[in-house]
Amino acid sequence: MAHAYPQRPEYAADQAFEPGSGLHWMRLSRRHPWERRIMAAVWAVPVAAVGAFVFAQGGGAAGGLLWVALVVLGTVLAWIVAELAYRSYGYAERADDLIVTHGVFVRRLIVVPYGRMQFVDVTAGLLERWMGVATVRMHTAAAATDARIPGLPAAEASLLRDRLAQKGEERSMGL
């Protein structure tokens, strides 16, 4: 279940990323970083195995072990980034628009006016379905204002999709 959480700006520039109007950012499901971690581990196993085999053929056991160590390091970094990305995501429904913020190294704030939304879709891959999470994506005529909210509990994703579609129809700008 997504939760609202107050966020204290760590930097002066973070004030530009506040939802305003006394709103708090809604948070993703705690399962989202675990889904990303599992995907990193799933990809790491065959990459490590194939790379170790190839390097062992050409450079001996040391090359294979070095490759496996690099893959393990990459997987650990992916686990850390998954947590940081989870903490950076937030969304808020305002009267006339939806705002989404995210970004670990580069912070981004996307404002999607309800009247500009062309359609809203919900997607979930095999692992996401198993974990009970989904991604809601809002599409507009301008690709730069498209937004996605990953890692929402499936039931909440469905409700958000319906609310956004209704608000979009109510405020349709004749597109």
Side-chain angles (χ1 to χ4, degrees):
M1 180 172 169
H3 302 287
Y5 64 98
Q7 192 172 13
R8 290 183 295 130
E10 293 181 34
Y11 306 101
D14 283 347
Q15 293 176 7
F17 298 95
E18 290 299 310
S21 304
L23 294 173
H24 297 291
W25 292 117
M26 297 299 292
R27 193 170 214 180
L28 308 180
S29 168
R30 191 67 199 128
R31 293 178 178 179
H32 176 64
W34 283 104
E35 182 261 335
R36 291 188 59 176
R37 289 173 181 143
I38 291 170
M39 284 305 295
V42 165
W43 277 101
V45 171
V47 168
V50 170
F53 176 76
V54 169
F55 277 105
Q57 296 299 316
L65 288 175
L66 178 62
W67 178 257
V68 170
L70 289 173
V71 171
V72 168
L73 177 64
T75 304
V76 168
L77 289 174
W79 278 51
I80 293 168
V81 170
E83 180 64 28
L84 294 173
Y86 161 75
R87 291 179 184 194
S88 77
Y89 251 101
Y91 71 97
E93 295 176 67
R94 299 191 305 186
D96 295 319
D97 51 36
L98 174 83
I99 54 176
V100 179
T101 187
H102 63 91
V104 177
F105 302 110
V106 177
R107 199 95 174 116
R108 185 166 185 200
L109 179 78
I110 303 167
V111 179
V112 183
Y114 297 129
R116 293 281 186 178
M117 278 193 280
Q118 292 184 329
F119 67 96
V120 180
D121 69 37
V122 177
T123 59
L126 205 58
L127 182 58
E128 290 171 306
R129 289 194 314 251
W130 178 73
M131 296 185 78
V133 296
T135 297
V136 175
R137 184 178 300 237
M138 288 70 57
H139 299 272
T140 65
T145 57
D146 285 0
R148 69 188 272 281
I149 306 169
L152 290 176
E156 186 172 333
S158 176
L159 292 173
L160 179 61
R161 176 204 62 215
D162 293 344
R163 281 194 313 271
L164 293 175
Q166 180 181 9
K167 289 177 181 181
E169 287 176 17
E170 291 170 358
R171 291 167 181 82
S172 178
M173 294 181 167
L175 296 176

